Amino acid sequence: MDCTNKIQIVYGDLTLGVKGEGWHVIFNYGRGGIESLVAGGREWMYRCPQPTFWRALTDNDRGSRFHLKSGCWLAADTFIRQTGVSVAIDGKEIAMPIAPENNRYSPVETAESAAVTYEFETLTVPAAKVTVTYTATCAGVNVKAKYFGAAGLPQLPVFGLRMIMPTHATGFTYEGLSGETYPDRMAGGVEGVYEVKGLPVTPYMVPQDCGMHMNTKWVEVRRNTQLANHIAPAESSLKIAMDEKPFAFSCLPYTAEELENATHHEELPPARRTVLCVYGAVRGVGGIDSWGSDVEEAYHLSAEKDYEVSFNIAL
């Protein structure tokens, strides 16, 4: 992410705008993240990215009654409390530049970096703390999400960041392990670069979690549609690349909650969006007998431990 050019900054009343060459990002202080990311002339954010803790149940999860032990994470995935926000310019935290503080800045401000950190609390009892820091430079946006464990919480399904894109992707390419992989289902994965057409959902009899890819170095999502339908379609892409270490991801047309709500595939809503989840921690799927055996201990995620994920949005 090294670069020499400066970024332009716009201090809005409730937002921070950052502009680089051919792209711009708007951070919303109250909504908890990036509310707009335009690159290649296309909007890539339908909702602000949010911390994610839940993956749709598998048959083995149901058999082992994992949902009855850890169901609070489904609520935490759906609702989260934002508790704070801070802004740092060129590595130095500044007074929150909301009105009227933002009026002291000129319409044309520049910097080498701008960072916005959001603090959250889960709705679990006890609550767990999560921070998400976005650092923009002329090369793009670095994202670091951290989960801080709390004693007494049940096992976590996953931890990461969920991004919802405005339209259905035509497909994605990634560098990592072949096929669908989970922490306890990686032995058959072969390292390489793979292209996936569309956003396939495995046709299990009951919709459930699918499409996980472990040990990923980068993923590039392709779209040829956007909500502004007066503009002729043209394919463009957005690339997510590893920062300090490889990540796991899934790229599906549904959120975990939408998959969870359907007992048959015809109950799933129309596939209109792209849901990209980037994970720093994933629970195993088990499947020893699919009727009650828990995931092996080595592939549990203790919610009392800390987890993090970091990646770069290349722009």
Side-chain angles (χ1 to χ4, degrees):
M1 303 263 310
D2 293 335
C3 55
T4 56
N5 299 327
K6 290 191 173 184
I7 50 177
Q8 295 182 348
I9 300 177
V10 177
Y11 295 92
D13 288 347
L14 295 172
T15 60
L16 185 78
V18 178
K19 185 176 185 298
E21 186 174 349
W23 59 270
H24 72 256
V25 177
I26 298 176
F27 299 97
N28 189 298
Y29 303 137
R31 292 180 180 172
I34 299 175
E35 69 174 1
S36 175
L37 191 162
V38 174
R42 179 154 297 162
E43 175 62 67
W44 287 91
M45 291 295 164
Y46 183 70
R47 294 284 187 268
C48 291
Q50 290 288 298
T52 185
F53 311 97
W54 188 260
R55 60 165 173 77
L57 293 173
T58 65
D59 286 340
N60 193 69
D61 289 329
R62 295 186 183 95
S64 65
R65 298 182 177 271
F66 177 70
H67 54 302
L68 301 182
K69 305 168 190 174
S70 293
C72 63
W73 292 113
L74 174 58
D77 193 81
T78 306
F79 305 107
I80 194 165
R81 178 186 296 112
Q82 183 182 336
T83 57
V85 60
S86 60
V87 176
I89 303 298
D90 289 338
K92 183 179 180 181
E93 186 172 340
I94 63 173
M96 273 303 296
I98 57 176
E101 173 69 17
N102 62 324
N103 293 329
R104 72 183 188 86
Y105 295 98
S106 73
V108 182
E109 296 281 348
T110 61
E112 293 182 357
S113 69
V116 183
T117 298
Y118 298 91
E119 296 181 0
F120 302 94
E121 278 188 353
T122 63
L123 299 186
T124 55
V125 180
K129 177 183 176 182
V130 177
T131 63
V132 182
T133 299
Y134 302 91
T135 303
T137 68
C138 68
V141 181
N142 173 265
V143 184
K144 293 184 185 296
K146 296 183 179 182
Y147 166 88
F148 299 88
L153 288 173
Q155 294 282 321
L156 264 171
V158 294
F159 172 68
L161 202 67
R162 178 179 61 246
M163 294 175 281
I164 302 180
M165 300 174 183
T167 60
H168 192 275
T170 58
F172 57 91
T173 303
Y174 71 95
E175 182 177 359
L177 298 177
S178 60
E180 179 183 85
T181 51
Y182 286 83
D184 52 355
R185 293 292 183 272
M186 292 171 55
V190 179
E191 291 188 1
V193 176
Y194 300 96
E195 181 178 349
V196 178
K197 294 183 179 179
L199 300 177
V201 177
T202 306
Y204 297 116
M205 184 171 291
V206 177
Q208 55 193 280
D209 191 65
C210 59
M212 186 70 71
H213 301 279
M214 304 296 297
N215 285 6
T216 304
K217 294 181 179 178
W218 56 264
V219 57
E220 189 167 13
V221 181
R222 303 181 301 277
R223 291 168 49 224
N224 62 8
T225 56
Q226 57 187 36
L227 293 182
N229 57 15
H230 64 282
I231 301 175
E235 189 167 83
S236 62
S237 63
L238 188 72
K239 186 174 184 178
I240 306 295
M242 61 176 279
D243 181 16
E244 298 172 354
K245 58 183 180 180
F247 54 82
F249 82 93
S250 65
C251 193
L252 299 168
Y254 304 115
T255 64
E257 288 77 13
E258 288 172 324
L259 288 171
E260 201 72 76
N261 284 338
T263 56
H264 297 88
H265 275 260
E266 66 266 23
E267 296 175 359
L268 289 168
R272 298 177 296 170
R273 315 288 179 216
T274 300
V275 182
L276 176 65
C277 295
V278 182
Y279 302 107
V282 179
R283 176 182 168 88
V285 290
I288 297 169
D289 56 21
S290 290
W291 296 105
S293 295
D294 196 4
V295 173
E296 292 181 326
E297 183 69 29
Y299 305 107
H300 286 191
L301 292 183
S302 170
E304 298 182 347
K305 297 181 179 180
D306 298 347
Y307 301 99
E308 66 177 72
V309 61
S310 62
F311 56 91
N312 297 315
I313 304 175
L315 299 171

